């Protein structure tokens, strides 16, 4: 299952995504956690100290390695240099699986020990001084999008991505890579504005979207969210002494999380799991192709000096049954 957490800045999406990752870890499920936000806070939210979090390998800085590995022996891709963030896999491409060892994970992922299990954490990396004024953040999240395009996951396996804030998630096709998108919204006008944007943009792409109400303090807050987002409101989360202790760097055992909030996390997992049976691999692959062609025509062909439409393998459909030999070749 591929799951995204989105929301406006300050909505609590990083906190909630970290709680959800902890919840999955307690079940022993294979989990890859990805921090794709310009503000790199997921590591600390998972209990890493600042020094350890700052030392995590940046995916954006290892993009040449990622491209070279994923390209494999795909004859339609002349070189790793001609791959862009939307390049789809084809015959001969190497694929990633959640629960395996591969050079991409070795270079970009680090294990994080949590109550009940271990998850792999990957980060895009923060803006550096060299980036200021000359680069946009999507040049870094492109590494995440490329990996998601080449990732095959099955039921009971989870990739959880803490996305960049607001509607910036729509600056690439990455928003179509998820089985479930949880939009974290506060019970305020600003809190639901991102929901309206996301709902409108996602309408034509079959995006499964559910709202998680955060910082809900009473019936008035609940009634407000219900009136604004309707049936898309899945669950609400209130004040948490456990989260307050975690933010101070002194998290208790995770099994001491408040019962209501633990139940909310279980509800999120059940909602995500329920979408897997409806996954349409052909549409999923077609959406890759759609955004690849848009990016090729807009800037990719000019930047690489190649006809990137030729990278598309018309007979290839990414699906769970893709042979392991292709993934590990």
């Amino acid at each position: 299952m591929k799951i995204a957490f989105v929301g406006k800045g300050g909505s609590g999406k990083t906190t909630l995504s970290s709680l959800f990752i902890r919840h999955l870890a307690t079940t022993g499920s294979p989990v890859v956690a990805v921090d794709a936000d310009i503000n790199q806070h997921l590591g600390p939210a998972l209990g890493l100290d600042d020094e350890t979090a700052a030392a995590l390998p940046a995916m954006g800085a290892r993009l040449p390695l990622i491209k070279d590995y994923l390209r494999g022996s795909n004859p339609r891709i002349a070189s790793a240099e001609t791959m862009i963030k939307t390049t789809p896999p084809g015959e001969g491409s190497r694929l990633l699986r959640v629960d395996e060892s591969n050079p991409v994970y070795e270079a970009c992922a680090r294990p994080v020990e949590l109550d009940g299990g271990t998850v792999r954490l990957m980060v895009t990396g923060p803006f550096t001084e060299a980036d200021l004024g000359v680069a946009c953040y999507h040049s870094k999240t492109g590494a995440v999008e490329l990996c998601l395009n080449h990732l095959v996951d099955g039921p009971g396996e989870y990739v959880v991505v803490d996305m960049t804030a607001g509607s910036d998630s729509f600056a690439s096709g990455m928003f179509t890579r998820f089985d479930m998108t949880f939009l974290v919204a506060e019970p305020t006008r600003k809190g639901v504005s991102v929901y309206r944007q996301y709902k409108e943009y996602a309408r034509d792409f079959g995006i499964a979207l559910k709202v998680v109400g955060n910082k809900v303090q009473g019936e008035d807050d609940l009634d407000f969210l219900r009136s604004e987002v309707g049936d898309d409101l899945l669950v609400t989360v209130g004040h948490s002494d456990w989260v307050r202790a975690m933010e101070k760097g002194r998290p208790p055992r995770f099994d001491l999380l408040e019962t209501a909030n633990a139940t909310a996390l279980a509800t999120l997992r059940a909602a995500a799991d329920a979408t897997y049976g409806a996954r349409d691999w052909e549409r999923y692959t077609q959406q890759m192709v759609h955004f690849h062609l848009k990016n090729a025509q807009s800037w990719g062909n000019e930047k690489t000096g190649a006809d990137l439409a030729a990278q598309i393998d018309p007979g290839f459909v990414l699906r769970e049954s893709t042979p392991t030999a292709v993934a590990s070749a």
Side-chain angles (χ1 to χ4, degrees):
M1 304 296 301
K2 301 184 185 80
I3 300 161
F5 280 80
V6 301
K8 80 173 185 66
S11 64
K13 69 178 181 60
T14 298
T15 297
L16 281 171
S17 61
S18 71
L19 291 176
F20 186 64
I21 291 164
R22 288 177 184 271
H23 168 73
L24 295 175
T26 65
T27 69
S29 302
V31 180
V32 175
V34 182
D35 192 345
D37 193 357
I38 190 171
N39 298 307
Q40 299 272 279
H41 293 154
L42 183 58
L46 291 174
L48 300 184
D49 59 49
D50 292 341
E51 182 178 353
T52 302
L56 291 169
M59 295 178 70
R62 289 154 178 81
L63 191 53
L65 178 150
I66 294 171
K67 289 181 177 180
D68 188 61
Y69 178 74
L70 297 179
R71 176 189 170 219
S73 60
N74 187 333
R76 296 175 180 274
I77 302 175
S79 67
E81 288 72 22
T82 63
M83 293 180 73
I84 62 173
K85 63 182 182 180
T86 53
T87 296
E91 187 68 29
S93 296
R94 291 192 182 106
L95 306 179
L96 303 175
R97 296 180 186 271
V98 175
D99 193 18
E100 70 170 6
S101 296
N102 60 56
V104 174
Y105 291 157
E106 290 169 9
C108 302
R110 294 295 180 265
V112 177
E113 301 286 340
L114 298 173
D115 297 87
T118 302
V119 303
R120 282 182 171 129
L121 174 61
M122 305 172 74
V123 302
T124 57
F127 251 28
T128 66
E129 186 175 345
D131 296 323
L132 298 177
V134 296
C136 73
Y137 192 64
H138 305 293
S139 64
K140 297 182 181 293
T141 59
V144 180
E145 185 170 357
L146 191 61
C147 285
L148 291 177
N149 278 353
H150 290 75
L151 191 145
V152 180
D153 58 304
E157 300 176 332
Y158 299 90
V159 179
V160 182
V161 182
D162 182 19
M163 297 281 279
T164 190
S167 57
D168 282 355
S169 302
F170 289 94
S172 75
M174 191 159 64
F175 74 96
T176 66
R177 301 299 85 200
F178 301 103
D179 298 286
M180 173 60 75
T181 296
F182 291 126
L183 190 144
V184 182
E186 300 168 83
T188 64
R189 291 175 62 187
K190 288 184 178 180
V192 299
S193 64
V194 173
Y195 160 77
R196 295 196 185 96
Q197 288 179 307
Y198 223 104
K199 184 77 170 179
E200 180 180 352
Y201 294 155
R203 192 183 315 275
D204 296 331
F205 294 94
I207 306 301
L209 177 67
K210 289 296 181 182
V211 174
V212 182
N214 193 27
K215 306 176 186 178
V216 174
Q217 298 182 6
E219 283 299 319
D220 186 63
D221 286 347
L222 184 57
D223 289 343
F224 175 82
L225 285 173
R226 284 173 174 160
S227 67
E228 295 294 325
V229 308
D231 292 340
D232 284 338
L233 181 64
L234 176 65
V235 73
T236 63
V237 179
H239 173 77
S240 172
D241 290 334
W242 193 98
V243 169
R244 179 65 68 187
M246 181 269 291
E247 290 173 340
K248 293 176 180 177
R250 301 193 295 268
R253 297 194 323 273
F254 190 61
D255 59 9
L256 296 177
L257 182 71
E258 298 85 1
T259 300
N261 290 330
T263 300
L265 296 175
T267 300
L268 297 185
R269 182 185 180 188
D273 286 347
T275 66
Y276 188 83
R279 180 185 285 185
D280 185 337
W281 287 100
E282 291 191 0
R283 183 182 69 180
Y284 187 79
T285 305
Q286 289 167 359
Q287 287 174 340
M288 283 190 226
V289 171
H290 169 77
F291 284 104
H292 183 60
L293 290 175
K294 288 188 67 173
N295 279 270
Q297 295 166 4
S298 177
W299 60 270
N301 289 344
E302 181 178 356
K303 180 176 180 180
T304 63
D307 177 13
L308 299 184
Q311 294 179 344
I312 297 168
D313 184 343
F316 184 86
V317 176
L318 185 70
R319 58 178 80 248
E320 187 182 348
S321 59
T322 303
T324 302
V326 175
S328 59

